[in-house]
């Protein structure tokens, strides 16, 4: 058991530690001031603008994604509907992002929007996060007891109330997970923003451009900020989730006693 | 359970919304647009992507994706097996949450970080040089292995999720029976876990194949002179204003995905009827 855990933790280290190597670079400079690149990047208006814009866009994307994925994931309870949705989300999720983003761009052109606009950027990012959201909700629905739904029907609860009074409250944690995942996916996404953001510069585009050119070393601090933010949100969620599970178990134990 | 919470009208509305970009890809792969309003039926897009030059590029991208998907699936299955069979639920949650970091991180930042480690003066060569006492430059800008390594690592989380989900559904009675038969760990892996996870392995290969097919930053940052990637192909077609070819390629991939998913459904149905 200990040996297996050591292997798994080492494996996890191989997967994630290299991502943090950019943080080492962000503290290296000739002046001896280890925060030089951080001061420089926060003084860069283009970076702060791109950061705020990305946060705003990702927040909207995550909100739409949770709403849309919850609605469409209700197809779980009907086998035929579920297969159609599964097929669609697999195609949407696995089609190359470059081609998919171009098709959304084309839709916007067909609707008469020739210059870039936020709506289609958010649509493109929502499509990207949708498959993850639907799969998360389906994982939750798998554990909802059939008898709960049957009992609700037996007492005459209508479809709308079963969704809002039973399914939704039982999926509260999934709503949070789905929102967080969608936010992080949208915040860090590059290919779709490249094709859909037009003249607006989002953080992922800003970072890609600067990292490619390699001219401005303060970009290491910029990259590190996104990595640290992502890690904090993921680990913070894990701590919150563990605490919540522990509290629920404690409550159940007290109720049984 | 077979009851509907989405009425038919709402269901059709939602599926049509999701299908719009796919329909646009399908339609525009058969129509050349000359200007904004002039469209005419044409198969030029397909001719372009099946021309020897483009086909050669696509075969190289597919070949690379195939190697990546097989390796990533094999590694991820082994990792998922160790995780599900030998660790607590708490450790599994911890592992699943942390393993999402590589695919949640910004693509450019992730690949750039790897470039820093895999460069000629990078950490990996320094470690190897330290161990051997000689100057090692195995990892460098022209080593195509770097591209494969980083692509495999990007695909592994998806494989681990799929395989672990499948391994968790194996009924406990199989493991108890294998204990009664005194099967050792290797035999349990080989004779119980592997045969019962065929479907998950195929699903994992399908997902990782299409993901690695689309990965392009790895090639741009780490590929040295090798610049063949899907994004570069799309950009070169864009710069030549051959948008129809891009959509034709999208249409071919959509059809392939559609066929694979249907095959999976048939395979799964046969498996269920055999079990019954």
């Amino acid at each position: 058991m200990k040996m297996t855990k050591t292997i798994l933790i080492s494996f996890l280290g191989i997967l994630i530690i290299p991502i943090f190597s950019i943080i080492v670079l962000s503290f290296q400079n000739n002046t001896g001031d280890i925060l030089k690149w951080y001061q420089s990047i926060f003084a860069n208006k283009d970076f702060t603008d791109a950061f705020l814009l990305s946060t705003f866009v990702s927040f909207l994307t995550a909100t739409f994604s949770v709403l849309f994925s919850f609605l469409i994931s209700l197809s779980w309870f009907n086998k035929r509907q579920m297969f159609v949705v599964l097929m669609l989300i697999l195609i949407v999720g696995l089609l190359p992002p470059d081609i998919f983003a171009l098709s959304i761009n084309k839709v916007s052109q067909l609707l008469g929007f020739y210059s870039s606009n936020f709506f289609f950027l958010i649509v493109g990012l929502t499509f990207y996060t949708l498959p993850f959201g639907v799969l998360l909700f389906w994982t939750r629905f798998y554990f909802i007891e059939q008898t709960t739904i049957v009992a609700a029907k037996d007492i005459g609860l209508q479809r709308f109330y079963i969704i809002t009074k039973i399914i939704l409250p039982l999926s509260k944690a999934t709503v949070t997970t789905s929102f967080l995942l969608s936010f992080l996916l949208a915040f860090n996404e590059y290919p779709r923003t490249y094709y859909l953001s037009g003249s607006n510069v989002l953080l992922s585009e800003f970072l890609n451009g600067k990292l490619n050119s390699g001219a401005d070393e303060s970009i290491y601090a910029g990259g590190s900020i996104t990595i640290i933010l992502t890690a904090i949100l993921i680990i913070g969620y894990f701590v919150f989730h563990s605490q919540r599970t522990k509290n629920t178990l404690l409550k159940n134990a007290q109720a049984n006693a | 359970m077979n009851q509907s919470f989405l009425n038919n009208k709402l269901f059709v509305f939602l599926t049509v919304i999701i299908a719009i970009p796919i329909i646009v890809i399908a339609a525009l792969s058969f129509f050349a647009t000359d200007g904004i309003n002039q469209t005419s039926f044409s198969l030029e897009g397909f001719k372009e992507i099946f021309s020897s030059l483009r086909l050669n590029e696509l075969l190289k991208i597919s070949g690379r994706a195939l190697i990546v998907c097989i390796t990533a699936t094999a590694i991820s299955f082994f990792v998922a097996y160790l995780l599900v069979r030998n660790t607590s639920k708490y450790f599994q949650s911890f592992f699943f949450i942390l393993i999402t970091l590589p695919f949640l991180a910004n693509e450019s930042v992730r690949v750039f970080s790897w470039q820093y480690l895999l460069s000629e003066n990078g950490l990996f060569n320094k470690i190897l040089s330290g161990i051997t006492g000689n100057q090692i430059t195995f990892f460098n800008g022209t080593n195509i292995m770097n591209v494969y390594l980083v692509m495999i690592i990007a695909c592994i989380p998806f494989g681990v999720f799929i395989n672990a989900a499948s391994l968790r559904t194996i009924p406990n009675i199989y493991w108890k029976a294998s204990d009664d038969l005194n099967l050792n760990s290797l035999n349990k892996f080989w004779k119980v876990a592997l045969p019962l996870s065929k479907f998950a392995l195929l699903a994992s290969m399908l997902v990782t194949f299409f993901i690695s097919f689309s990965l392009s930053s790895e090639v741009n940052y780490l590929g040295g002179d090798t610049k063949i990637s899907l994004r570069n192909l799309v950009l070169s077609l864009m710069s030549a204003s051959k948008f129809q070819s891009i959509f034709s390629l999208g249409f071919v991939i959509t059809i392939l995905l559609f066929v694979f998913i249907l095959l999976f459904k048939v395979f799964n149905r046969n498996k269920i009827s055999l079990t019954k």
Side-chain angles (χ1 to χ4, degrees), chain B residues 73-272:
Chain B
T73 301
I75 296 170
S76 58
F77 184 75
F78 181 66
V79 169
Y81 177 76
L82 288 182
L83 191 70
V84 172
R85 289 288 301 145
N86 298 299
T87 62
S88 63
K89 285 262 160 69
Y90 182 81
F91 184 86
Q92 286 176 31
S93 307
F94 163 79
F95 191 92
F96 285 136
I97 286 176
L98 283 185
I99 208 174
T100 54
L101 196 59
F103 87 89
L104 284 179
N106 184 291
E107 185 182 301
S108 315
V109 175
R110 175 174 57 82
V111 181
F112 180 83
S113 300
W114 274 103
Q115 188 190 34
Y116 171 62
L117 294 179
L118 297 170
S119 64
E120 203 162 324
N121 298 317
L123 187 68
F124 282 22
N125 280 337
K126 278 181 187 163
I127 291 172
L128 286 176
S129 304
I131 293 168
T132 57
N134 297 315
Q135 181 69 24
I136 303 284
T137 56
F138 177 73
F139 295 102
N140 54 63
T142 54
N143 190 342
I144 194 70
M145 247 185 62
N146 293 354
V147 176
Y148 283 98
L149 177 71
V150 179
M151 278 189 172
I152 289 166
I153 284 173
C155 290
I156 281 175
F158 295 94
V160 172
F161 280 122
I162 295 168
N163 288 309
S166 160
L167 285 165
R168 273 177 163 187
T169 61
I170 294 178
N172 226 7
I173 194 155
Y174 285 91
W175 304 116
K176 280 182 183 161
S178 59
D179 285 337
D180 290 345
L181 291 167
N182 284 330
L183 292 185
N184 60 24
S185 300
L186 187 70
N187 276 332
K188 277 181 194 168
F189 177 79
W190 202 250
K191 291 183 176 168
V192 181
L194 210 55
L196 290 171
S197 305
K198 272 187 232 162
F199 187 74
L201 284 166
L202 283 174
S204 165
M205 280 183 67
L206 177 79
V207 169
T208 51
F209 176 83
F210 282 98
I211 287 171
S212 51
F213 185 82
S214 307
L215 288 175
S216 301
S217 291
E218 283 75 0
V219 180
N220 294 340
Y221 279 96
L222 302 159
D225 295 332
T226 316
K227 291 291 178 206
I228 297 174
S229 70
L230 190 81
R231 187 166 309 143
N232 290 344
L233 174 68
V234 167
L235 289 175
S236 79
L237 287 168
M238 269 176 78
S239 61
S241 293
K242 291 179 176 172
F243 285 91
Q244 197 196 354
S245 310
I246 301 171
F247 293 121
S248 302
L249 177 60
F251 181 67
V252 172
I253 297 170
T254 308
I255 295 294
L256 281 174
L257 276 166
F258 186 73
V259 171
F260 280 131
I261 296 164
L262 281 183
L263 284 175
F264 266 81
K265 188 170 167 59
V266 173
F267 176 81
N268 202 29
R269 193 190 291 158
N270 290 344
K271 200 179 116 185
I272 290 167

Side-chain angles (χ1 to χ4, degrees), chain A:
Chain A
M1 194 88 152
K2 259 191 177 173
M3 177 73 170
T4 311
K5 272 191 179 173
T6 312
I7 294 171
L8 289 170
I9 290 171
S10 312
F11 179 77
L12 204 55
I14 293 170
L15 289 192
I16 64 174
I17 288 173
I19 298 170
F20 292 95
S21 68
I22 198 166
I23 298 173
V24 178
L25 278 174
S26 72
F27 291 119
Q28 284 176 358
N29 63 71
N30 301 328
T31 61
D33 178 7
I34 57 166
L35 295 176
K36 183 189 169 194
W37 299 134
Y38 286 89
Q39 286 160 358
S40 168
I41 199 76
F42 280 118
N44 186 335
K45 196 176 174 301
D46 291 341
F47 172 80
T48 48
D49 285 351
F51 186 89
L52 291 174
L53 189 62
S54 280
T55 310
F56 175 67
V57 166
S58 309
F59 183 83
L60 284 181
T61 302
T63 309
F64 287 127
S65 179
V66 170
L67 285 172
F68 199 50
S69 52
F70 176 73
L71 261 186
I72 199 78
S73 65
L74 289 171
S75 59
W76 167 264
F77 299 97
N78 181 305
K79 273 184 185 170
R80 200 171 289 169
Q81 287 184 352
M82 187 204 166
F83 178 68
V84 174
V85 172
L86 178 67
M87 182 130 72
L88 280 174
I89 61 162
L90 279 176
I91 293 174
V92 167
L94 295 176
L95 258 175
D98 305 70
I99 298 174
F100 198 80
L102 273 175
S103 83
I104 290 175
N105 201 312
K106 200 72 192 173
V107 173
S108 80
Q109 284 181 20
L110 290 170
L111 292 173
F113 298 100
Y114 297 108
S115 57
S116 61
N117 69 78
F118 269 128
F119 178 73
F120 286 98
L121 171 64
I122 290 166
V123 168
L125 290 172
T126 305
F127 271 113
Y128 168 48
T129 56
L130 186 72
F132 296 98
V134 172
L135 292 176
L136 277 174
F137 278 112
W138 280 356
T139 313
R140 179 66 194 101
F141 295 166
Y142 176 80
F143 292 101
I144 292 180
E145 296 276 352
Q146 277 191 47
T147 46
T148 314
I149 310 277
V150 174
K153 281 197 163 176
D154 284 350
I155 58 166
L157 223 56
Q158 282 178 342
R159 200 158 45 184
F160 176 76
Y161 291 105
I162 297 178
I163 295 169
T164 53
K165 303 275 182 198
I166 295 173
I167 299 174
L168 196 57
L170 286 173
S171 312
K172 260 194 286 182
T174 314
V175 171
T176 318
T177 315
S178 176
F179 183 88
L180 183 69
L181 187 71
S182 305
F183 178 85
L184 287 174
L185 284 168
F187 187 76
N188 289 313
E189 171 62 0
Y190 170 66
R192 288 165 185 86
T193 51
Y194 173 75
Y195 291 100
L196 293 166
S197 65
S199 55
N200 302 300
V201 180
L202 273 88
L203 189 62
S204 53
E205 284 178 274
F206 178 83
L207 291 173
N208 186 67
K210 293 276 183 184
L211 285 170
N212 249 328
S213 69
D216 182 3
E217 289 181 83
S218 68
I219 201 61
Y220 304 143
S224 303
I225 289 165
T226 65
I227 295 283
I228 293 166
L229 187 74
T230 308
I232 286 174
L233 284 174
I234 291 175
I235 294 165
Y237 176 74
F238 175 68
V239 173
F240 165 77
H241 181 73
S242 308
Q243 199 58 44
R244 211 169 158 267
T245 315
K246 217 181 271 177
N247 288 343
T248 315
L249 287 173
L250 200 69
K251 265 185 197 170
N252 289 345
Q254 280 170 349
N256 288 337

